[in-house]
Amino acid sequence: MKVRLTEDDKDIPAIEAILYLDKKGCIVQPPLNPYLPVIFYPTPTHKRSRLYRQWLSLSKLLVEEFRKRRVRGSVAFPPEVVDVRQWQWNGFTAEVRYTFHIELPYKTEMIDYSDRKQINKALRSGFRCEIADKDSYADVVTCLWETEARQKFRYRLAPRDLKVGARLLGRDVFRIYVCRSNSGEVVSARIVIALPETYAMDWVAGTKNHFLSSGATQLLIWHILEDLAKYGARGFDFCGANLPTVSAAKSDWGGNLVPYFVVRPLNFRTIVGYTIRLLKQKMSKKAKENEFNNFN
């Protein structure tokens, strides 16, 4: 459901958000949604103090929606939301996470040398990239499935889901990219959600195991950045860089490291979750120390 909140029935300032509700009416963030959409419409002013006051007043109204409907799990706000103090002041916890933003048009010299080598390797092998047609959706999902098995997570997407996404959003917005080998086989795929003059979102991606070192992944990303610039996108959001291996791969593209906030209600479940994560971190650290001591 879409909400638009204002004070005194004025058009602006206003805050808009898309709230996803479960069967019990609680606010949730659906799987694969990188952010909960929130847009702030201030009055025309360059005074920071006025902007801060307007945001605090309106974000308090949104917090009241959160408290009234309750929140299950955590909710991630887009990087444009830089102030979550009203949530902190009203019984929510907030943590910082990170993503990479790449400005478009893209400057090729920003690519790390290792990725440039991979791109050239794929080009020499005759690989090519394009927007997928409907007949390729099953091949796209195969790339996703192999990545799921390798990384031990689930996208839970089938070819019919890609057809629905393309039908509802349109193929210009729901952009399904593929990289093909010289034989025409789809070896890597990436789905990007994009609109002109905004940051395109890197939604899901996958590469077949046999082609991990072929340069297909790097060639596809480079092609996507070039294509999005022609499409008129303002930039590209990698939508997360919070795992060490993922962060290293995404940082090679020279984007800006951008923080974003995740909020969750402070309750028993949250405390238990934090405790479990803390214990896992300590156990992992202890295991590494024991491994180091045994080696020496």
Side-chain angles (χ1 to χ4, degrees), residues 20-38:
Y20 301 92
L21 308 180
D22 64 10
K23 293 180 180 179
K24 295 183 178 180
C26 297
I27 297 172
V28 295
Q29 184 159 336
L32 300 183
N33 275 42
Y35 312 115
L36 187 91
V38 175

Side-chain angles (χ1 to χ4, degrees), residues 73-123:
S74 60
V75 169
F77 293 125
E80 292 80 13
V81 176
V82 298
D83 183 357
V84 295
R85 289 176 295 170
Q86 283 289 11
W87 280 267
Q88 292 176 307
W89 295 338
N90 285 276
F92 290 81
T93 65
E95 72 178 88
V96 181
R97 295 186 187 174
Y98 295 90
T99 185
F100 280 104
H101 276 186
I102 295 177
E103 303 292 329
L104 296 178
Y106 185 62
K107 297 179 181 179
T108 306
E109 60 268 22
M110 296 174 64
I111 307 175
D112 185 77
Y113 174 71
S114 61
D115 280 10
R116 288 204 300 269
K117 285 181 60 178
Q118 288 294 91
I119 291 171
N120 290 328
K121 179 180 179 180
L123 290 172

